[in-house]
Amino acid sequence: MKRQLTLQQYRTIDLFLFAGMLAIFEFVIVRFAFASFFTLSLAGAITAIVYMRWGWWGGIHAALAGFLTCLYTSLFVEGMTAEPGDYAIYIVGNLVSLLAVAALLRRGKEKVRQSVLASMAFGLAVILLMQGGRMAVALALGRPPDRVIEYMTHDPLSILFTVGVIWIVRRLDGVFEDQKHYLLRLQEERERNNTEQ
């Protein structure tokens, strides 16, 4: 008889898989597609997906994305070194996106998932809260306002990618869905199929 995973084990594996994807995608983007004026990141998209799947647990991925952005930029972009303040800006700034989880839970994950516009608006909220959070932390750390605005003006591609990725993944069964709901739905379908046989 096969040993089944507990929900906690499944969640841990799932969170690690998404963290691994985040690390790989951010590495590839920073290493091979970094431009000095425009930046690109899949942090908003991956974090939004994890928020939908596991709620508050996605904060791990938001913080990890900020850390990886600074680390990879320091390691692989010539002439750029992240200082401790940069790590704070990206990590704490990205965590502001947890506000989107509160709104998601209040609205209901299933209602958001079933609506194309609500799903895309959720992804947009996540990336805009990340960018706004970075700006707020940068201002709090005394960065000049003309430099602070660059956290948004240099990152429009990330907004487009976040919304586009959410539009795509919501069509894939179980990817952009609360995982407890998804597992229950699979179990119900399996039981229904067994009774029909």
Side-chain angles (χ1 to χ4, degrees):
M1 180 158 44
K2 289 183 182 176
R3 181 177 168 267
Q4 290 188 335
L5 292 175
T6 66
L7 181 64
Q8 290 79 10
Q9 290 169 327
Y10 174 74
R11 181 180 60 214
T12 300
I13 292 167
D14 197 63
L15 292 171
F16 269 108
L17 286 174
F18 275 93
M21 283 189 280
L22 179 64
I24 291 167
F25 289 139
E26 292 298 291
F27 169 78
V28 169
I29 290 169
V30 170
R31 184 73 175 97
F32 301 108
F34 186 86
S36 58
F37 187 76
F38 287 114
T39 59
L40 171 63
S41 174
L42 290 178
I46 291 176
T47 302
I49 293 167
V50 179
Y51 283 157
M52 176 58 81
R53 292 170 76 87
W54 299 109
W56 302 106
W57 288 95
I60 296 167
H61 297 74
L64 177 63
F67 173 79
L68 291 174
T69 297
C70 294
L71 177 67
Y72 290 160
T73 301
S74 292
L75 292 174
F76 302 115
V77 179
E78 193 174 324
M80 295 188 77
T81 304
E83 300 168 4
D86 295 320
Y87 281 91
I89 289 167
Y90 277 89
I91 293 170
V92 177
N94 282 2
L95 287 172
V96 171
S97 67
L98 284 165
L99 294 172
V101 178
L104 175 68
L105 296 176
R106 190 167 41 253
R107 175 87 191 268
K109 287 184 178 183
E110 200 52 22
K111 281 185 182 175
V112 172
R113 181 184 77 86
Q114 289 177 350
S115 165
V116 177
L117 288 178
S119 296
M120 292 169 70
F122 173 68
L124 181 63
V126 169
I127 188 66
L128 291 179
L129 284 166
M130 283 181 163
Q131 292 175 347
R134 293 174 201 151
M135 291 170 65
V137 175
L139 280 172
L141 291 176
R143 302 284 169 96
D146 59 324
R147 295 297 308 273
V148 166
I149 196 72
E150 292 176 0
Y151 288 103
M152 194 166 282
T153 59
H154 287 202
D155 208 19
L157 294 175
S158 297
I159 296 171
L160 293 174
F161 264 74
T162 299
V163 173
V165 168
I166 297 302
W167 181 75
I168 292 167
V169 299
R170 68 171 301 280
R171 298 161 161 243
L172 305 174
D173 187 42
V175 177
F176 193 67
E177 182 174 358
D178 178 83
Q179 290 304 284
K180 290 178 188 174
H181 180 272
Y182 174 64
L183 294 171
L184 286 172
R185 184 167 61 81
L186 284 182
Q187 185 177 347
E188 287 170 6
E189 288 173 9
R190 205 175 302 122
E191 288 172 0
R192 194 164 43 247
N193 288 339
N194 288 340
T195 56
E196 288 173 1
Q197 290 177 352

